[in-house]
Amino acid sequence: MTARQRQQGMRKIQKAGVFVLASVFAILVGVKFVVPLFASDEYKENNGEAINAFQPDIDVELLTVNPYSRPGTETNKITGIVVHYTANPGSTAMDNRNYFEGLKDSHETKASSNFVVGLEGEIVQCVPTWEVAYASNSRNIDTVSIECCHPDETGRFNDATYQSMVKLCAWLCMKFDLTSEDVIRHYDVTGKNCPKYFVENEDAFAAFRDDITQAIENTPSE
């Protein structure tokens, strides 16, 4: 082999080495930037004209940040919506919101919810959806919680409350790329009889999910 041939051979090896290094670098860059895009557990939400137009009326009455009802802890990616009932017949959305607020002083327990739906269909927001609310035990970190008012001990929701529950859940599903199958009961997390009417009447809960699906499908696309 001549000296020229040896030089040509060395140049080929060097080029191959550079190509390998460039390929490895490209893979590393892809892992750093592409994987988080598709596999991130960080909170994110969708926005757009159709979603914003479908947003129900919400009275934002955020709780004071405190260890007993609004810890200020960031949520992970939202993977579900948990429905509750207040277990306090006849109480209003603001009654329940104010109870949560009072826990910062009473230290009675740790409890709250992202939203409360009232007897007249009013929706009060207590905690931002990107913050943990003390409502769903092990699922606080990756769900949005909704407390729902009811007129009597049966726990059955009146029509105004029910319609707002459907619209709020449908809107949240759109915000977080969820379906009605991702709307669950407190019961499904801990076995607690909550929301009472949906636990004791499985058909009613199935119909609720169907109504959410129908609401999503009837939303005009952008």
Side-chain angles (χ1 to χ4, degrees):
M1 179 182 292
T2 66
R4 180 169 181 169
Q5 288 174 328
R6 285 197 297 271
Q7 289 176 346
Q8 290 175 337
M10 288 297 295
R11 279 197 290 270
K12 288 180 181 180
I13 292 172
Q14 289 172 344
K15 288 180 179 179
V18 170
F19 176 77
V20 170
L21 288 173
S23 298
V24 170
F25 178 76
I27 291 171
L28 291 175
V29 169
V31 169
K32 182 176 180 181
F33 293 103
V34 177
V35 171
L37 180 63
F38 294 100
S40 174
D41 284 334
E42 293 183 358
Y43 177 93
K44 59 182 178 181
E45 60 180 53
N46 299 320
N47 288 291
E49 289 185 11
I51 296 174
N52 293 337
F54 191 70
Q55 178 180 331
D57 290 333
I58 297 173
D59 180 11
V60 180
E61 300 284 350
L62 299 182
L63 305 176
T64 304
V65 176
N66 73 92
Y68 291 88
S69 56
R70 186 188 169 190
T73 306
E74 293 183 3
T75 59
N76 292 340
K77 177 182 178 181
I78 299 300
T79 61
I81 300 163
V82 185
V83 177
H84 306 254
Y85 87 131
T86 63
N88 188 11
S91 63
T92 68
M94 280 302 295
D95 287 339
N96 287 278
R97 181 266 173 203
N98 291 340
Y99 168 73
F100 295 147
E101 176 70 10
L103 293 176
K104 76 180 191 303
D105 302 313
S106 71
H107 304 176
E108 177 184 340
T109 187
K110 290 185 177 181
S112 59
S113 186
N114 295 101
F115 298 93
V116 185
V117 181
L119 294 173
E120 297 181 3
E122 72 275 22
I123 300 171
V124 175
Q125 183 170 14
C126 307
V127 178
T129 54
W130 53 86
E131 289 184 20
V132 163
Y134 288 142
S136 308
N137 301 76
S138 62
R139 296 300 305 276
N140 289 337
I141 194 68
D142 71 332
T143 59
V144 174
S145 56
I146 305 173
E147 285 279 357
C148 304
C149 298
H150 50 99
D152 57 43
E153 295 287 349
T154 67
R156 185 171 185 173
F157 307 112
N158 67 28
D159 187 62
T161 303
Y162 184 86
Q163 293 303 323
S164 287
M165 289 166 59
V166 169
K167 187 164 186 179
L168 177 59
C169 286
W171 176 66
L172 290 171
C173 283
M174 295 165 65
K175 290 283 284 185
F176 298 110
D177 282 327
L178 305 176
T179 72
S180 62
E181 293 300 307
D182 299 307
V183 179
I184 62 175
R185 303 161 294 184
H186 191 179
Y187 169 82
D188 299 309
V189 180
T190 66
K192 182 178 180 179
N193 191 19
C194 175
K196 177 181 170 69
Y197 191 75
F198 282 168
V199 174
E200 297 177 356
N201 298 271
E202 292 282 350
D203 289 346
F205 183 58
F208 176 62
R209 280 177 156 178
D210 288 343
D211 287 340
I212 293 170
T213 298
Q214 192 70 31
I216 294 171
E217 290 176 350
N218 288 341
T219 303
S221 58
E222 294 184 90

Coordinates of all heavy atoms in Angstrom, one line a residue, residues 151-194:
P151 N -79.8 19.0 46.5 CA -80.8 19.6 47.4 C -81.2 18.7 48.6 O -81.8 19.3 49.6 CB -82.0 19.7 46.4 CG -81.8 18.7 45.4 CD -80.3 18.6 45.2
D152 N -81.0 17.4 48.5 CA -81.5 16.6 49.6 C -80.5 15.4 49.9 O -79.5 15.3 49.3 CB -82.9 16.1 49.4 CG -83.0 15.3 48.0 OD1 -82.1 14.5 47.8 OD2 -84.0 15.5 47.3
E153 N -80.9 14.6 50.8 CA -80.1 13.5 51.3 C -79.8 12.4 50.3 O -78.9 11.6 50.4 CB -80.7 12.8 52.6 CG -80.7 13.8 53.8 CD -79.4 14.0 54.4 OE1 -78.4 13.3 54.0 OE2 -79.3 14.9 55.3
T154 N -80.6 12.3 49.2 CA -80.4 11.3 48.2 C -79.1 11.5 47.4 O -78.6 10.6 46.8 CB -81.6 11.3 47.2 OG1 -81.6 12.5 46.4 CG2 -82.9 11.1 47.9
G155 N -78.7 12.8 47.4 CA -77.5 13.1 46.7 C -77.8 13.3 45.2 O -76.8 13.6 44.4
R156 N -79.0 13.2 44.8 CA -79.4 13.4 43.4 C -79.3 14.9 43.0 O -79.7 15.7 43.7 CB -80.8 12.9 43.1 CG -81.1 13.0 41.6 CD -82.5 12.3 41.3 NE -82.8 12.2 39.9 CZ -83.8 11.5 39.4 NH1 -84.6 10.9 40.1 NH2 -83.9 11.6 38.1
F157 N -78.7 15.1 41.9 CA -78.4 16.5 41.4 C -79.7 17.0 40.7 O -80.3 16.3 39.9 CB -77.2 16.6 40.5 CG -76.0 16.0 41.1 CD1 -75.4 14.8 40.6 CD2 -75.4 16.6 42.2 CE1 -74.3 14.3 41.1 CE2 -74.3 16.0 42.8 CZ -73.7 14.9 42.2
N158 N -80.0 18.3 41.0 CA -81.1 18.9 40.2 C -80.7 19.2 38.8 O -79.5 19.1 38.4 CB -81.7 20.1 40.9 CG -80.8 21.3 41.0 OD1 -79.9 21.5 40.1 ND2 -80.9 22.1 42.0
D159 N -81.6 19.6 38.0 CA -81.3 19.8 36.5 C -80.3 20.9 36.3 O -79.4 20.7 35.4 CB -82.6 20.1 35.8 CG -82.4 20.1 34.3 OD1 -82.0 19.0 33.7 OD2 -82.5 21.2 33.6
A160 N -80.4 22.0 37.0 CA -79.5 23.1 36.8 C -78.1 22.7 37.1 O -77.1 23.0 36.4 CB -79.9 24.3 37.6
T161 N -77.9 22.0 38.3 CA -76.6 21.5 38.7 C -76.0 20.5 37.6 O -74.9 20.6 37.2 CB -76.6 20.9 40.1 OG1 -77.1 21.8 41.0 CG2 -75.2 20.4 40.5
Y162 N -76.9 19.6 37.3 CA -76.5 18.5 36.3 C -76.0 19.1 35.0 O -75.0 18.7 34.5 CB -77.7 17.6 36.1 CG -77.3 16.4 35.2 CD1 -76.8 15.2 35.8 CD2 -77.6 16.4 33.9 CE1 -76.5 14.1 35.0 CE2 -77.3 15.3 33.0 CZ -76.7 14.2 33.6 OH -76.4 13.1 32.8
Q163 N -76.8 20.0 34.4 CA -76.4 20.6 33.1 C -75.0 21.3 33.2 O -74.2 21.2 32.3 CB -77.5 21.5 32.6 CG -78.8 20.9 32.3 CD -78.6 19.8 31.3 OE1 -77.8 19.9 30.3 NE2 -79.4 18.7 31.4
S164 N -74.8 22.0 34.3 CA -73.5 22.7 34.5 C -72.4 21.7 34.7 O -71.3 21.9 34.2 CB -73.6 23.7 35.6 OG -74.3 24.8 35.3
M165 N -72.7 20.6 35.4 CA -71.7 19.5 35.5 C -71.3 19.0 34.2 O -70.1 18.8 33.9 CB -72.2 18.4 36.4 CG -72.4 18.8 37.9 SD -73.4 17.6 38.8 CE -72.5 16.0 38.5
V166 N -72.2 18.7 33.3 CA -72.0 18.2 32.0 C -71.1 19.1 31.2 O -70.1 18.8 30.6 CB -73.3 17.9 31.3 CG1 -73.0 17.6 29.8 CG2 -74.0 16.7 31.9
K167 N -71.5 20.4 31.2 CA -70.8 21.4 30.4 C -69.4 21.6 30.9 O -68.4 21.7 30.1 CB -71.5 22.7 30.3 CG -70.9 23.7 29.3 CD -71.8 24.8 28.9 CE -71.2 25.7 27.8 NZ -72.0 26.8 27.4
L168 N -69.2 21.7 32.2 CA -67.9 21.9 32.8 C -67.0 20.7 32.5 O -65.8 20.9 32.1 CB -68.0 22.1 34.3 CG -66.7 22.3 35.1 CD1 -65.9 23.5 34.6 CD2 -67.0 22.4 36.6
C169 N -67.5 19.5 32.7 CA -66.7 18.3 32.4 C -66.3 18.2 30.9 O -65.2 17.9 30.6 CB -67.4 17.0 32.8 SG -67.5 16.8 34.6
A170 N -67.3 18.5 30.0 CA -67.0 18.5 28.6 C -65.9 19.5 28.2 O -65.0 19.2 27.5 CB -68.2 18.8 27.8
W171 N -66.0 20.7 28.8 CA -65.0 21.7 28.5 C -63.6 21.3 29.0 O -62.6 21.5 28.3 CB -65.4 23.1 29.2 CG -64.4 24.2 29.1 CD1 -64.0 24.8 27.9 CD2 -63.7 24.8 30.1 NE1 -63.1 25.8 28.2 CE2 -62.9 25.8 29.6 CE3 -63.7 24.6 31.5 CZ2 -62.0 26.6 30.4 CZ3 -62.8 25.4 32.3 CH2 -62.0 26.3 31.7
L172 N -63.6 20.8 30.2 CA -62.3 20.3 30.8 C -61.7 19.1 30.0 O -60.5 19.1 29.8 CB -62.5 19.9 32.2 CG -62.8 21.0 33.2 CD1 -63.2 20.4 34.6 CD2 -61.5 21.9 33.4
C173 N -62.6 18.3 29.5 CA -62.1 17.2 28.6 C -61.4 17.8 27.4 O -60.3 17.3 26.9 CB -63.2 16.3 28.2 SG -63.8 15.1 29.4
M174 N -62.0 18.8 26.8 CA -61.4 19.5 25.6 C -60.1 20.2 26.0 O -59.1 20.1 25.2 CB -62.4 20.5 25.1 CG -63.6 19.9 24.5 SD -65.0 21.0 24.2 CE -64.3 22.1 22.9
K175 N -60.0 20.8 27.2 CA -58.8 21.5 27.6 C -57.6 20.5 27.8 O -56.5 20.9 27.5 CB -59.1 22.2 29.0 CG -60.0 23.3 28.9 CD -59.3 24.6 28.4 CE -58.4 25.2 29.4 NZ -57.9 26.5 28.9
F176 N -57.9 19.3 28.2 CA -56.9 18.4 28.6 C -56.8 17.1 27.8 O -56.2 16.1 28.2 CB -57.0 18.0 30.1 CG -56.9 19.2 31.0 CD1 -58.0 19.7 31.7 CD2 -55.7 19.9 31.1 CE1 -57.9 20.8 32.5 CE2 -55.6 21.0 31.9 CZ -56.7 21.5 32.6
D177 N -57.4 17.1 26.6 CA -57.4 15.9 25.7 C -57.9 14.7 26.4 O -57.3 13.6 26.3 CB -55.9 15.7 25.1 CG -55.5 16.7 24.0 OD1 -56.4 17.0 23.3 OD2 -54.4 17.0 24.0
L178 N -59.0 14.8 27.0 CA -59.6 13.7 27.7 C -60.9 13.3 27.0 O -61.4 14.0 26.2 CB -59.9 14.0 29.2 CG -58.7 14.5 30.0 CD1 -59.1 14.9 31.4 CD2 -57.6 13.4 30.0
T179 N -61.5 12.1 27.4 CA -62.8 11.7 27.0 C -63.7 11.5 28.2 O -63.2 11.6 29.3 CB -62.7 10.4 26.2 OG1 -62.4 9.3 27.1 CG2 -61.7 10.5 25.1
S180 N -64.9 11.2 28.0 CA -65.8 11.0 29.1 C -65.4 9.8 30.0 O -65.8 9.7 31.2 CB -67.3 10.8 28.6 OG -67.4 9.7 27.8
E181 N -64.6 8.9 29.4 CA -64.1 7.7 30.2 C -63.1 8.2 31.2 O -62.9 7.4 32.2 CB -63.5 6.7 29.2 CG -64.5 6.0 28.3 CD -65.6 5.3 29.0 OE1 -65.3 4.5 29.9 OE2 -66.8 5.5 28.8
D182 N -62.6 9.3 31.0 CA -61.6 9.9 32.0 C -62.3 10.6 33.1 O -61.6 11.1 34.0 CB -60.6 10.8 31.3 CG -59.8 10.0 30.2 OD1 -59.2 9.0 30.6 OD2 -59.8 10.5 29.1
V183 N -63.6 10.8 33.0 CA -64.4 11.4 34.1 C -64.8 10.3 35.1 O -65.5 9.3 34.7 CB -65.6 12.1 33.6 CG1 -66.5 12.7 34.7 CG2 -65.3 13.2 32.6
I184 N -64.3 10.4 36.3 CA -64.5 9.3 37.3 C -65.2 9.9 38.6 O -65.3 11.1 38.7 CB -63.2 8.6 37.6 CG1 -62.2 9.5 38.2 CG2 -62.6 7.9 36.4 CD1 -60.9 8.9 38.7
R185 N -65.5 9.0 39.4 CA -66.1 9.3 40.7 C -65.0 9.2 41.8 O -64.1 8.5 41.7 CB -67.3 8.4 41.1 CG -68.4 8.4 40.0 CD -69.3 7.1 40.2 NE -68.5 5.9 39.9 CZ -69.1 4.7 39.8 NH1 -70.4 4.5 40.1 NH2 -68.3 3.6 39.6
H186 N -65.2 10.0 42.9 CA -64.4 9.8 44.1 C -64.3 8.3 44.5 O -63.3 7.8 44.8 CB -64.9 10.7 45.2 CG -64.0 10.8 46.4 ND1 -64.2 11.6 47.5 CD2 -62.7 10.2 46.6 CE1 -63.2 11.5 48.3 NE2 -62.3 10.7 47.8
Y187 N -65.5 7.7 44.3 CA -65.6 6.2 44.6 C -64.6 5.4 43.8 O -64.1 4.4 44.4 CB -67.0 5.8 44.3 CG -67.3 4.3 44.2 CD1 -67.5 3.6 45.4 CD2 -67.2 3.6 43.0 CE1 -67.7 2.2 45.4 CE2 -67.5 2.3 43.0 CZ -67.7 1.6 44.2 OH -67.9 0.2 44.1
D188 N -64.3 5.8 42.6 CA -63.4 5.0 41.8 C -62.0 5.1 42.2 O -61.1 4.3 41.8 CB -63.5 5.4 40.3 CG -64.9 5.2 39.8 OD1 -65.4 4.1 39.9 OD2 -65.5 6.2 39.2
V189 N -61.7 6.1 43.1 CA -60.3 6.3 43.6 C -60.2 5.6 45.0 O -59.2 4.9 45.2 CB -60.0 7.8 43.8 CG1 -58.6 8.0 44.3 CG2 -60.1 8.5 42.4
T190 N -61.1 5.8 45.8 CA -61.0 5.3 47.2 C -62.1 4.3 47.7 O -62.0 3.8 48.8 CB -61.0 6.5 48.2 OG1 -62.3 7.1 48.2 CG2 -60.0 7.5 47.8
G191 N -63.1 4.2 46.9 CA -64.2 3.4 47.4 C -65.3 4.1 48.2 O -66.2 3.5 48.7
K192 N -65.0 5.4 48.4 CA -66.0 6.2 49.2 C -67.3 6.4 48.5 O -67.3 6.5 47.2 CB -65.4 7.6 49.5 CG -66.2 8.5 50.4 CD -65.5 9.8 50.6 CE -66.3 10.7 51.5 NZ -65.7 12.0 51.8
N193 N -68.4 6.4 49.2 CA -69.7 6.6 48.6 C -69.9 8.0 48.1 O -70.7 8.8 48.7 CB -70.8 6.2 49.6 CG -72.2 6.0 48.9 OD1 -72.3 5.9 47.7 ND2 -73.2 6.1 49.7
C194 N -69.2 8.4 47.1 CA -69.2 9.8 46.6 C -68.8 9.8 45.1 O -67.9 9.2 44.7 CB -68.1 10.6 47.4 SG -67.9 12.3 46.8

